[in-house]
Amino acid sequence: GVIGRGNKKPPLDKIETIIGPNTSFDGHLKCDGSVRIDGVCEGGIIETVGNVIVSPNAMVAANIVARNVSVSGAVTGTIKASDRLEILSTGRVWGDVEVGSFLLDEDGYFRGQLVMKEGPEIPPQLAKTAPAGKRVE
């Protein structure tokens, strides 16, 4: 069924897993709920069907796979956000990202390749000027 949109946010504020400020993590974290990272991830993968929140003091050198990813800290690694990636004003991301939608705050920093999920077709009038894939002569 369709859930009324109202101004009720989906319960993604329900954080299930927290990597605390004095915690360092390196490995494959897999869960269903949302994850908040306040500490350091030195490698590996963080994977959830929920959301990942990277706090302002967090440092993440890991790949992230989630529904929504919100970055206020520093992330190096690939990010796959099936819905949305937001890089907030204190957020910094170095790495390739694949997203449903993308928000970069004015002071946020992003360096890498951005791929958005399937979107609208290129209008025929623009098709000839559109960037093509790399051609090997």
Side-chain angles (χ1 to χ4, degrees), residues 62-136:
N63 297 332
I64 298 175
V65 180
R67 182 184 304 149
N68 295 293
V69 179
S70 174
V71 179
S72 299
V75 177
T76 62
T78 59
I79 297 176
K80 283 189 179 173
S82 57
D83 277 4
R84 176 182 167 100
L85 165 65
E86 48 183 37
I87 302 172
L88 302 172
S89 57
T90 54
R92 299 177 307 288
V93 173
W94 296 266
D96 293 348
V97 302
E98 200 176 295
V99 300
S101 66
F102 181 66
L103 169 86
L104 177 62
D105 255 16
E106 204 173 328
D107 295 324
Y109 178 82
F110 169 66
R111 181 166 189 177
Q113 273 192 320
L114 169 71
V115 175
M116 279 185 121
K117 293 273 191 297
E118 296 307 310
E121 290 293 308
I122 297 171
Q125 304 89 308
L126 298 177
K128 3 181 216 308
T129 59
K134 291 200 173 70
R135 286 228 318 264
V136 181

